[in-house]
Amino acid sequence: METVTKSFDVLVVGNGVLGLSLGLTMARRGQQVAVLGEAHRPYAATTAAGAMLGCFGEVTAATLASESGRAKLELDFQATGKWDTWIADLAEDAGEEAADAVRTATGTIVLHNTIGVPEIDDAGMAAIRQAMDLYGAPYEQIAPETLDWLDPQPTARPLDALHIPGEHGVNSGALLAGLQQALVRRGGTMIAQSARKVLTTASGALRGVELADGTALMGDHVVLAAGVGSQKLLDTVPQAAAGIPRIVSGLGVSALLSTGHCAAPAPTSVVRTPNRAFACGLHLVPRGASTVYVGATNTMRPHPGDLPTVRGLQFLLDCVVRQLRRDLWFSGIAKVQVGNRPVSLDGFPLLGETQLEGLWTMTGTYRDGLHMSPLLAEKMTEWILDRKVPAELELFRPVRAPLSVMSREETIRYAVVHRLATGHEWDWSLPVEWPGVMEELFELSYRQHADDIATDFTPPPDLLAFVPAFPELGTMLKEYYAAVRGSFG
C-alpha cells in the first residue's frame, strides 16, 4: 500500500549542481521545496567536474554557425555574468567560509600547442577570438614562454596562448556543499533517496514521485534535474517522454594530482586547450596550494558507468605530463573520478515543461550544466512559478524537432577529424601514409552508420563517432527519429 509522507510545492529530482541550485532559488521564493537524491550521487557529472566557468573557452568553429549553437553560447555568456552575485548570495545563505571555498581559479589560459590538428585547433582558436570580439569580451594574446609553470615536452610545446580574464574555475565539491547548506538554511528539504517513478492519477495528471523505498511524495511540480539519471524517470511516464530526445552518458575520467614536489608552484588560473577529440580539451584547474584537477576524457555511452577505464585514465595522464608539465609524472594520484555528462540525442539541453503538465526537465546540458547553473536556476524558477517562458530557453524546450549545427557532410568530416585527433593526442607512431588510409576508413564507417540510422536526420558528430563501438546508440537514434518524424520530419 502506498504511503504518502508529505506534499511539497516543488519536488526537484537530482541533488547535483542543477538540482540544488534550482531548489535554492525556489526556497528563496518561499516555496516548500524538496531536493531528492542519494548522498553519494551515483553517476553524477558534478562530482567529477573540473568546474571551469568557461564560455568562450568552449567555443568551436561550429558554435557560431547555427541558431542553436549561437543560442547556447548566449546562455553561457549570460551565465558568466551571474557568478559573482551567485557566490556573494551563497555567502549570505551558507556563510562566508562556505562561499570562500568555492572559487579556486582566476582567469583562463587557452593553449594552442603542437599536438593539435589544424582543422580543429587553428579553427578553434580563431573561433574563440571571433566570439569574444563579437561580445566585446576582454582577452589578451600572450607568449607561452612567459607561463612559468608550463613545462611540456618539446614536441608538445605551445605555439600561442590566450588569456581570458573573465573565465574562472570553482571547486565542485565545495560548491555542492555550500548549495546544500544554503538550501537547508532557507527552509528547503533534502531527502537522501532517489526517485524511481513519476506518479500520475487515473486520469493521467501529475501527482508526485515514488521514492526507492516505496514512499510517495506529492508535488505540484516535479523537475527532473538528475542528469543522465533523469531518463529512467521519464521512461515511467511514456506519454511525457514522447518526442523528447533520450539522454545518454558522456562518460569522463578525471584525477586530482599532488604538486608539492613540482619545481614551480601550481598556476592560479585554469589552463586548457581548445575543445578537441570529442572532449572539452585537456584542462587543469588548481584545487588549493598543492593539488590540481586534471581532465577530462569523453566517451559517449548508452548508459552511465561508475568505473574509470584503463584506456581513459592512461590517455588522460599521458596527455597531462606531455602537454602541460613533465614533472607531474612523479605526482601522487590523490583521487580518480568518473562522471556522466547528460547528453541528449541531439546534443542540446532539455529545458522546460513536458507534455505532462507540471513535469519539467532541466538536464541534457552536456558540458555546460555547472557553468550555466545560476542562470538556469533563475530562469526555470521564473518559468515554473510565474509561467513566464524565458526567450533564451524557448529553443531548448524538451519536445522539439531535433536540433542540428551541421550538414551531414560536415558532421561526418567533424567525426573523422576528431577521431584522428585522438590518435595524435595519444602520440601515435605510424607510417606516414597510414593516417590518410584510416581517414578514408573512418569516413566510410561513419557515412554508413549515418545512412543506416536515418536519411532525413543526422546525429551530432560526438554521438555518431561512438555508434560503431556502442550499436545501442544507433538503435536509440533510429527510434527517436522514427518517433518525431511524423511531427517534425
Side-chain angles (χ1 to χ4, degrees):
M1 184 176 176
E2 183 181 277
T3 302
V4 178
T5 59
K6 194 172 181 181
S7 294
F8 294 87
D9 298 322
V10 183
L11 296 171
V12 181
V13 180
N15 59 350
V17 67
L18 285 179
L20 286 171
S21 298
L22 179 64
L24 178 56
T25 57
M26 288 286 185
R28 286 171 176 167
R29 288 282 301 268
Q31 297 296 294
Q32 290 295 310
V33 59
V35 175
L36 285 55
E38 296 176 68
H40 65 292
R41 297 181 174 90
Y43 305 123
T46 308
T47 51
M52 298 181 289
L53 304 183
C55 170
F56 298 112
E58 292 285 311
V59 169
T60 68
T63 302
L64 298 176
S66 71
E67 179 189 6
S68 46
R70 293 189 296 271
K72 188 159 169 290
L73 175 59
E74 177 62 25
L75 286 179
D76 282 327
F77 177 71
Q78 289 188 31
T80 300
K82 297 287 183 182
W83 272 93
D84 286 344
T85 300
W86 186 245
I87 292 176
D89 290 345
L90 191 64
E92 184 175 333
D93 286 338
E96 293 285 349
E97 185 175 343
D100 288 346
V102 171
R103 181 164 286 172
T104 62
T106 303
T108 291
I109 304 293
V110 185
L111 299 176
H112 184 190
N113 63 22
T114 56
I115 298 298
V117 178
E119 199 169 332
I120 298 173
D121 289 60
D122 292 4
M125 293 295 285
I128 291 170
R129 291 187 180 92
Q130 180 186 357
M132 288 192 290
D133 288 340
L134 180 66
Y135 278 88
Y139 66 94
E140 177 188 8
Q141 186 166 337
I142 57 177
E145 59 269 21
T146 64
L147 302 173
D148 295 336
W149 186 82
L150 196 67
D151 182 32
Q153 69 178 34
T155 54
R157 65 190 182 279
L159 307 171
D160 187 16
L162 289 178
H163 176 226
I164 307 177
E167 299 195 355
H168 310 301
V170 297
N171 183 320
S172 57
L175 178 61
L176 288 172
L179 289 171
Q180 183 167 319
Q181 186 172 340
L183 171 68
V184 173
R185 286 188 176 182
R186 279 285 190 167
T189 300
M190 295 294 303
I191 297 178
Q193 280 197 67
S194 60
R196 68 183 183 189
K197 185 179 181 180
V198 175
L199 298 174
T200 57
T201 66
S203 62
L206 178 72
R207 292 178 61 221
V209 299
E210 182 179 282
L211 299 180
D213 67 358
T215 299
L217 297 178
M218 302 297 104
D220 297 331
H221 298 277
V222 173
V223 185
L224 303 183
V228 70
S230 301
Q231 188 60 54
K232 285 187 176 181
L233 275 297
L234 274 174
D235 288 341
T236 66
V237 277
Q239 72 273 28
I244 299 177
R246 290 189 70 83
I247 306 163
V248 298
S249 167
L251 187 139
V253 177
S254 61
L256 298 179
L257 306 180
S258 65
T259 60
H261 65 285
C262 292
T268 58
S269 66
V270 174
V271 180
R272 63 168 300 166
T273 64
N275 284 7
R276 65 187 183 203
F278 308 112
C280 44
L282 175 64
H283 56 276
L284 176 148
V285 185
R287 289 281 179 88
S290 59
T291 302
V292 294
Y293 169 103
V294 293
T297 63
N298 188 36
T299 302
M300 294 295 181
R301 297 160 57 118
H303 306 289
D306 59 357
L307 293 175
T309 62
V310 172
R311 175 186 183 278
L313 184 59
Q314 183 175 349
F315 173 76
L316 171 64
L317 297 180
D318 184 61
C319 288
V320 168
V321 299
R322 288 195 305 109
Q323 297 183 47
L324 297 181
R325 188 171 180 88
R326 286 176 286 181
D327 62 4
L328 288 175
W329 177 260
F330 304 102
S331 289
I333 302 174
K335 190 176 183 181
V336 176
Q337 304 168 127
V338 176
N340 293 270
R341 305 174 185 91
V343 186
S344 71
L345 288 183
D346 68 2
F348 285 94
L350 303 174
L351 305 170
E353 196 168 22
T354 69
Q355 295 186 77
L356 175 57
E357 184 177 355
L359 180 65
W360 302 76
T361 58
M362 187 182 182
T363 184
T365 47
Y366 201 173
R367 290 190 286 258
D368 299 283
L370 188 146
H371 171 61
M372 292 195 297
S373 55
L375 176 70
L376 294 185
E378 173 190 305
K379 296 297 182 182
M380 289 291 290
T381 296
E382 292 175 359
W383 195 350
I384 293 168
L385 299 185
D386 303 331
R387 306 306 294 184
K388 292 167 52 179
V389 181
E392 305 94 327
L393 306 189
E394 179 71 33
L395 190 65
F396 304 118
R397 286 176 180 264
V399 180
R400 64 189 183 220
L403 298 176
S404 177
V405 298
M406 302 178 190
S407 68
R408 175 159 295 212
E409 291 303 315
E410 291 168 336
T411 296
I412 292 170
R413 181 62 187 168
Y414 183 104
V416 170
V417 173
H418 280 261
R419 175 59 73 198
L420 293 173
T422 306
H424 289 293
E425 286 214 281
W426 267 114
D427 198 24
W428 61 6
S429 179
L430 296 171
V432 69
E433 77 275 16
W434 280 25
V437 174
M438 295 171 67
E439 184 174 333
E440 293 178 0
L441 293 174
F442 279 132
E443 180 176 348
L444 178 62
S445 172
Y446 295 152
R447 188 177 301 279
Q448 288 176 339
H449 281 289
D451 290 345
D452 179 62
I453 290 167
T455 57
D456 49 349
F457 296 111
T458 302
D462 307 49
L463 284 169
L464 178 61
F466 287 94
V467 169
F470 299 100
E472 189 178 352
L473 289 174
T475 301
M476 288 179 173
L477 286 160
K478 280 185 183 181
E479 292 175 348
Y480 168 54
Y481 294 145
V484 300
R485 187 169 284 119
S487 300
F488 304 111

